[in-house]
Amino acid sequence: MKNIVLKRVETMNEKSIARDLIEKHHSYVPTYCSVGRRIDYLICVDNHPVGVIGIGSGTYPPCKDVLKYLNISKQEYREIFNTIGNNWRFCLSVHIKNLGTKVLKMFREQVYQDWYFKYGDKLKYIVTFVGGGHDGAVYKADNWELVGTTSGLPNHKSVSMKWDANEDIKNKFVKPTGENKKFIYIQIKG
């Protein structure tokens, strides 16, 4: 196999490369924007960037299937929120047999240490969402566990957890209609 390295994104040039890779190669959410904590890595093969993988803050509100799998309440989820990371992006620009699975393994081996070093919290879980007609085969091959599906989204953006006040959220909330459901996978630090 070729030389594979995860290079932590730190410089403006690396951020530009990562943004370009995500915008061109992430199949269903091709944006570099996110909210909260975040660490990204360029996936380099033979010193050439071919993809991006990143971890960010967990999702809030939590998915019902994640709460059920962890056997915790929404309040308990809030209490452990900083120990749950969201594999917020993973995309590759090349097709090399088993590259995705090898990258996930490298990512798992590195991200716990980097998260603690950067934020001072020990990750216990990494959650990811798989959509866009994919079934999560690369996660299954790396022994991530399928814990359920999301409820999907309404057919239009109705609310912003970041910008709307609590009362606005209650007034604007539209129940999901089931479109764009995503598979939810979890990896537990062993």
Side-chain angles (χ1 to χ4, degrees):
M1 180 57 139
K2 300 174 184 240
N3 182 33
I4 303 167
V5 174
L6 294 185
K7 167 74 175 99
R8 193 159 154 188
V9 173
E10 294 175 330
T11 69
M12 291 307 290
N13 184 53
E14 291 164 346
K15 289 178 183 181
S16 178
I17 293 167
R19 180 181 302 109
D20 187 55
L21 284 163
I22 289 170
E23 289 175 353
K24 288 181 181 174
H25 300 286
H26 195 272
S27 62
Y28 62 96
V29 187
T31 180
Y32 191 67
C33 299
S34 70
V35 176
R37 297 174 169 190
R38 182 167 132 192
I39 301 171
D40 296 327
Y41 302 88
L42 287 173
I43 302 162
C44 299
V45 175
D46 295 335
N47 295 317
H48 180 71
V50 299
V52 177
I53 190 165
I55 188 150
S57 295
T59 59
Y60 200 86
C63 298
K64 290 178 187 175
D65 286 346
V66 170
L67 294 176
K68 183 177 177 182
Y69 178 82
L70 296 177
N71 194 27
I72 60 175
S73 68
K74 193 173 181 181
Q75 179 58 39
E76 290 168 316
Y77 181 90
R78 281 188 104 145
E79 293 167 8
I80 66 167
F81 181 75
N82 288 327
T83 68
I84 302 170
N86 175 23
N87 171 214
W88 84 284
R89 289 292 180 275
F90 183 18
C91 64
L92 295 167
S93 64
V94 297
H95 297 283
I96 299 172
K97 186 175 180 171
N98 298 322
L99 177 61
T101 306
K102 289 178 181 181
V103 166
L104 280 175
K105 181 180 180 187
M106 293 171 72
F107 174 70
R108 284 187 296 103
E109 290 173 348
Q110 186 64 42
V111 75
Y112 293 104
Q113 177 183 328
D114 286 351
W115 191 264
Y116 182 75
F117 181 75
K118 185 169 183 178
Y119 297 114
D121 292 307
K122 292 183 179 179
L123 280 179
K124 294 180 182 176
Y125 310 100
I126 304 173
V127 176
T128 197
F129 300 88
V130 177
H134 299 281
D135 67 358
V138 69
Y139 293 96
K140 292 177 199 174
D142 190 48
N143 297 314
W144 291 52
E145 188 169 346
L146 176 64
V147 298
T149 59
T150 63
S151 299
L153 299 170
N155 58 12
H156 67 282
K157 184 176 181 181
S158 58
V159 64
S160 167
M161 299 300 283
K162 182 177 180 184
W163 302 114
D164 291 330
N166 283 342
E167 197 56 40
D168 292 335
I169 290 171
K170 289 177 188 173
N171 292 333
K172 291 180 178 179
F173 184 75
V174 176
K175 285 203 173 280
T177 54
E179 290 91 17
N180 302 314
K181 284 188 177 186
K182 293 177 177 63
F183 294 109
I184 307 166
Y185 287 87
I186 195 165
Q187 179 63 238
I188 300 173
K189 184 171 188 296

